[in-house]
Amino acid sequence: MTRDQVYNFAAGPSVLPESALKTAQAELLNFRGSGMSVMEISHRSALFQEVFDSAQAKLRRLMNVPDTHEILLLQGGATTQFAAIPMNLIEGGCADYAVTGNFSAKAAEEAEKYGSVHIACSTADTGHDRIPTQAELRFSPEAKYFYYCANNTVYGTEWQYTPSAPSALVSDMSSDILSREVDVSKFGLIYAGAQKNMSPAGLTVVIVDKALAGRELPCTPKILSYKTMIETGSLLNTPPCWCIYMLDLTLDWVEKQGGVKAMDELRHARADRIYDFLDGSRLFTARALPGSRSYMNITFRTPSAELDAEFVKEAASRGLVNLKGHKVTGGLRASLYNAMPVEGAQALLDFMKEFEAKHHG
Ligand SMILES: *Cc1c(COP(=O)(O)O)cnc(C)c1O
């Protein structure tokens, strides 16, 4: 198949804006008249620093990040932050965790190595099909921070509100960063593995309140210390140069579309019609409960695993690819990140309607 025959619904790594890929392609062998690829130049060169500063400045503008917060561009993926967060913030004490899916469960498990974890709420009893209300959250008076995962990529649920907590607010926004407006000033720390909504795999964005830096446990590796990374401008060692370049190009695209506000409108334009259809469908059912549903990852299923498999296969033959659900949930999942055009969501919906007409007995 050719690229223009395919809509890629992969959960991550996932679809990137075509304009970003095309610019990268055009600049691949000779980056801005240097005669070298951006992959071949020093991370200490003025040329690369320009790319770094540009990406960082765009992210600051797009997310309206206040001066109190530093934007770090790091390696290690979101999973490294599962450890880095408690190492830097727990101070040998306690932290509150909301467990609403597999990534928050993993983060809580990792944090136990560095302090004591208090589960502020868990939705495991109903298979993580919903997001708790503010009133359900139980905070420990000693907690140094409250941790939650804004969008549960695997289960297809998303916090529709920003929780308030008595301690620093920490959020994993790997799969919904830049898709909706967020008041960064309310957060102690926001982080995201870049490969869902921003860039190729290999880059992690950490937005941290500078007032929280410098509290790390003595065992914290330098590379994971927010204080060190703030002091070195994320350049303690070689950063993921290529991914930072791709981030810059993706953010160009986001700005040209109209910024995060435009992304917010797009997420509704893509997902609302699919949820509306699912709620009236005689064949498909949505996994997540209304009020808790993700705009980025729609989880759903047919009545049987066999029919799910048939759906995935037939969809792929039409160029609608990567619709199989995660192994822990089974079923189906359509990931509709920022770079997924509304036409892609419509093509999926048209196919779902056709599939329903054919299989509803
Ligand atoms: C994908 C994902 C992760 C894991 O990211 P890695 O970069 O692979 O470590 C963590 N949290 C969320 C919400 C994710 O979607």
Side-chain angles (χ1 to χ4, degrees):
M1 280 198 207
T2 62
R3 187 173 176 92
D4 49 2
Q5 290 170 321
V6 166
Y7 287 115
N8 175 13
F9 297 94
S14 34
V15 60
L16 288 166
E18 196 161 296
S19 65
L21 296 172
K22 282 191 167 148
T23 304
Q25 183 182 42
E27 294 184 333
L28 189 65
L29 296 183
N30 182 3
F31 181 61
R32 298 178 194 167
S34 67
M36 296 173 280
S37 170
V38 71
M39 288 187 270
E40 301 171 306
I41 62 175
S42 167
H43 60 291
R44 308 276 177 206
S45 65
L47 192 55
F48 179 73
Q49 192 64 47
E50 249 176 61
V51 175
F52 186 99
D53 293 345
S54 165
Q56 202 182 40
K58 276 174 201 158
L59 202 51
R60 192 172 284 283
R61 271 201 303 276
L62 281 165
M63 292 185 68
N64 202 11
V65 178
D67 291 341
T68 45
H69 288 56
E70 190 64 46
I71 299 174
L72 303 175
L73 304 179
L74 308 176
Q75 304 211 34
T79 301
T80 299
Q81 295 305 313
F82 296 171
I85 287 163
M87 281 182 157
N88 281 275
L89 305 181
I90 210 163
E91 298 178 72
C94 162
D96 288 321
Y97 276 73
V99 176
T100 57
N102 72 324
F103 290 119
S104 44
K106 283 179 184 168
E109 193 188 320
E110 189 77 355
E112 275 169 7
K113 294 178 187 166
Y114 307 102
S116 84
V117 167
H118 173 254
I119 302 300
C121 72
S122 168
T123 50
D125 57 336
T126 56
H128 299 305
D129 61 353
R130 67 184 192 94
I131 295 297
T133 62
Q134 175 73 45
E136 285 176 81
L137 304 176
R138 293 282 168 266
F139 301 105
S140 157
E142 281 99 51
K144 302 287 184 198
Y145 61 89
F146 168 65
Y147 180 106
Y148 77 105
C149 178
N151 183 72
N152 297 290
T153 320
V154 170
Y155 292 92
T157 58
E158 187 172 13
W159 294 64
Q160 307 300 333
Y161 67 100
T162 298
S164 54
S167 59
L169 201 52
V170 172
S171 185
D172 176 359
M173 296 194 184
S174 293
S175 50
D176 70 351
I177 193 161
L178 292 169
S179 72
R180 57 175 181 172
E181 277 166 330
V182 163
D183 181 353
V184 177
S185 70
K186 287 185 177 165
F187 290 83
L189 187 145
I190 290 170
Y191 76 99
Q195 69 272 21
K196 314 287 163 65
N197 240 349
M198 294 192 289
S199 194
L203 168 68
T204 316
V205 171
V206 175
I207 303 172
V208 59
D209 183 343
K210 286 181 268 192
L212 292 176
R215 306 175 184 194
E216 65 262 36
L217 301 174
C219 68
T220 307
K222 248 190 182 155
I223 187 81
L224 299 184
S225 156
Y226 298 139
K227 181 169 183 274
T228 302
M229 283 312 199
I230 290 168
E231 284 169 0
T232 59
S234 303
L235 297 175
L236 173 73
N237 68 331
T238 318
C241 301
W242 172 256
C243 297
I244 292 169
Y245 166 68
M246 288 303 299
L247 171 68
D248 188 46
L249 298 182
T250 300
L251 297 179
D252 263 343
W253 175 83
V254 176
E255 283 197 326
K256 284 201 185 97
Q257 302 307 301
V260 176
K261 193 164 175 288
M263 295 300 113
D264 193 336
E265 284 161 17
L266 278 175
R267 72 182 184 140
H268 282 282
R270 286 186 300 257
D272 287 349
R273 64 186 78 191
I274 294 177
Y275 281 123
D276 282 349
F277 168 73
L278 285 172
D279 283 337
S281 175
R282 291 156 300 151
L283 184 73
F284 297 99
T285 44
R287 191 178 192 288
L289 298 182
S292 295
R293 290 169 171 174
S294 169
Y295 288 87
M296 296 284 106
N297 313 95
I298 301 184
T299 48
F300 60 107
R301 61 175 71 242
T302 69
S304 76
E306 292 70 37
L307 206 52
D308 285 343
E310 199 177 320
F311 179 86
V312 170
K313 199 169 155 214
E314 209 177 312
S317 74
R318 314 270 191 105
L320 307 170
V321 302
N322 294 319
L323 287 162
K324 192 170 185 286
H326 190 276
K327 60 183 185 298
V328 311
T329 57
L332 304 162
R333 172 173 58 174
S335 296
L336 308 170
Y337 295 120
N338 281 351
M340 171 60 66
V342 176
E343 294 76 27
Q346 185 60 43
L348 173 62
L349 179 58
D350 291 343
F351 175 65
M352 288 166 78
K353 286 180 178 166
E354 197 185 312
F355 195 83
E356 179 186 69
K358 188 167 141 198
H359 291 282
H360 177 66

